[in-house]
Amino acid sequence: MYPSNYYRVSNLYLKSNNKLPGLIYGEIFVNLERTTKRTQEMSEKLYQTYKDAIDIKDEKSNTISLCKVISVDVNSINKNKVPFCIMFEASMMLSTLGQKEFTFESFAKIRSNFLKEYSARLKKDHPNVLLDYFRKMEDHQVFNAYNHYVFQIGDENAFTKWQESNQAEYQKFVEWYTADENDLKIDKTNLYIAE
């Protein structure tokens, strides 16, 4: 639960060729240490990393590049041994279908679609404390507002425009997010360790 550990390890991974752990650790950090200069810095880094990694060519042909190159022998692998990063990228790719470009607003939709993919296909074999937290937000109908909030420094103008047009939704999120019982809680049973 010590935010600085997540901040430091996120920055290391975000500078590597294996960015997914950096994105997960960075977003965990943002949820543990809220409204600080480091949180603002991380918000921008996370958004920019996703923006650089998600290449939307058209509504049906997109690429995602978050993971280091991994060689997998498909003849000797079973479903439970497929690395999380490969499964994450594939689910994120499916989540971009129908989007024409990467924007602040389309990214919120991509993440909502991704959460559905994760819940349906990955959760059982790849449990993840952050993604479980997303599910909790979705269950309380605040995940869309969270997706705008968490990346707000990545595109401040788009966030301000969205917030002004969705004040009631944003207020509902703020009330939920600031309640002590809704803090992200990490312990030995749900700790995320990068593969």
Side-chain angles (χ1 to χ4, degrees):
M1 293 294 295
Y2 184 62
S4 291
N5 289 340
Y6 294 96
Y7 175 80
R8 290 181 188 109
V9 75
S10 175
N11 279 309
L12 291 173
Y13 273 111
L14 290 175
K15 292 177 185 173
S16 76
N17 64 352
N18 190 20
K19 298 193 181 329
L20 179 59
L23 292 168
I24 293 174
Y25 287 130
E27 201 162 341
I28 289 172
F29 163 74
V30 168
N31 283 286
L32 295 177
E33 181 180 298
R34 301 174 179 175
T35 65
T36 67
K37 287 193 182 289
R38 292 193 316 175
T39 304
Q40 292 176 349
E41 171 198 330
M42 189 58 68
S43 171
E44 184 174 16
K45 283 181 183 179
L46 294 174
Y47 183 76
Q48 193 60 51
T49 300
Y50 275 115
K51 186 176 179 182
D52 292 345
I54 299 173
D55 184 15
I56 298 178
K57 295 173 180 37
D58 58 46
E59 293 178 41
K60 297 179 184 176
S61 176
N62 306 319
T63 59
I64 309 289
S65 180
L66 292 172
C67 308
K68 65 183 176 185
V69 176
I70 300 171
S71 297
V72 178
D73 180 359
V74 294
N75 295 320
S76 65
I77 197 163
N78 68 41
K79 182 180 155 194
N80 294 333
K81 292 188 180 181
V82 176
F84 176 61
C85 200
I86 291 174
M87 299 300 292
F88 186 98
E89 275 190 347
S91 293
M92 187 64 76
M93 176 93 63
L94 289 172
S95 301
T96 65
L97 296 178
Q99 300 301 320
K100 296 178 182 177
E101 62 182 332
F102 185 99
T103 64
F104 189 74
E105 192 59 38
S106 71
F107 186 45
K109 291 175 184 163
I110 290 167
R111 291 201 5 133
S112 290
N113 291 340
F114 172 80
L115 182 59
K116 291 173 190 162
E117 286 290 322
Y118 171 77
S119 297
R121 303 175 197 274
L122 301 177
K123 181 175 174 39
K124 181 181 173 201
D125 296 323
H126 299 282
N128 182 288
V129 63
L130 182 63
L131 300 177
D132 289 343
Y133 191 51
F134 292 173
R135 170 83 324 204
K136 183 178 178 183
M137 284 188 250
E138 180 65 23
D139 291 346
H140 287 88
Q141 300 175 336
V142 296
F143 187 55
N144 182 56
Y146 168 80
N147 282 323
H148 290 83
Y149 158 80
V150 75
F151 300 112
Q152 66 182 286
I153 305 301
D155 190 337
E156 293 179 81
N157 291 333
F159 172 73
T160 300
K161 184 178 176 183
W162 177 86
Q163 187 183 28
E164 288 170 354
S165 299
N166 298 276
Q167 291 180 3
E169 181 182 356
Y170 188 70
Q171 187 58 39
K172 178 181 177 182
F173 161 72
V174 169
E175 288 171 11
W176 183 89
Y177 194 64
T178 57
D180 289 342
E181 66 269 16
N182 297 322
D183 286 348
L184 175 64
K185 296 183 179 39
I186 302 171
D187 59 35
K188 292 178 184 178
T189 65
N190 65 0
L191 181 66
Y192 169 74
I193 300 176
E195 297 175 356

